[in-house]
Amino acid sequence: MSKVFLSIHVLAAILAVGPVAVAASMFPAALKRGDTGTLRLLYRICRVYAWVGIAVPLFGFAVAGTMHVTGDTWVLVSIGLTAVAAAVLALLVLPGQRAALAEPEAEPGGGVATAVDTRRLAARLGMVTGVFNLLWAVVTVLMIIRPGSSTGV
């Protein structure tokens, strides 16, 4: 059964976290360009796949349980980093994207301040998205290396 759970866990990670990572990474550039249609699409991808991504830790717990590694340090660190990544997505990335979509269009004579604000928001979103992606990269490496594993990998 652990092979089934592991397969679903890995597929969920690829199919759910991957699109969020890519779409969130594309968002700041689209924001700088002012491409509203693309921004809406990228935000929707991030929002929908964030919900789908809940399957990743759920099946991760199932895998850890069937493999009897739930208390291993690398699993606990991965759980913690996954929780931090989820918090970064839910509390920083998605609200930042929503705020970018809510920004009023630049009015004549007021475009300079709006352009500066847009660049700042794009830079901040780029930074928090980078943190989100880095957290998932570390979790992925932990899943592959599994410190203390007897498999020799």
Side-chain angles (χ1 to χ4, degrees):
M1 197 63 178
S2 63
K3 289 181 182 181
V4 171
F5 287 145
L6 180 60
S7 298
I8 295 170
H9 174 63
V10 170
L11 284 171
I14 293 167
L15 298 175
V17 177
V20 173
V22 172
S25 296
M26 293 172 64
F27 195 94
L31 181 58
K32 288 178 188 175
R33 288 192 314 270
D35 188 349
T36 307
T38 300
L39 290 173
R40 285 190 182 110
L41 175 64
L42 294 173
Y43 174 64
R44 183 172 182 191
I45 290 168
C46 289
R47 194 181 69 237
V48 169
Y49 280 92
W51 284 105
V52 175
I54 293 171
V56 176
L58 290 177
F59 282 100
F61 281 118
V63 172
T66 60
M67 293 176 65
H68 309 290
V69 295
T70 309
D72 287 7
T73 303
W74 65 273
V75 173
L76 296 174
V77 170
S78 294
I79 291 169
L81 292 175
T82 299
V84 172
V88 167
L89 181 63
L91 301 174
L92 299 172
V93 175
L94 292 174
Q97 290 178 347
R98 191 172 34 252
L101 289 170
E103 293 268 324
E105 296 294 324
E107 296 178 17
V112 174
T114 303
V116 170
D117 292 341
T118 299
R119 284 196 307 272
R120 282 187 186 144
L121 182 56
R124 184 172 188 276
L125 278 170
M127 180 192 67
V128 295
T129 298
V131 169
F132 172 78
N133 290 339
L134 180 62
L135 288 165
W136 276 113
V138 172
V139 169
T140 301
V141 169
L142 282 173
M143 293 291 132
I144 294 168
I145 294 175
R146 299 182 320 250
S149 171
S150 62
T151 63
V153 176

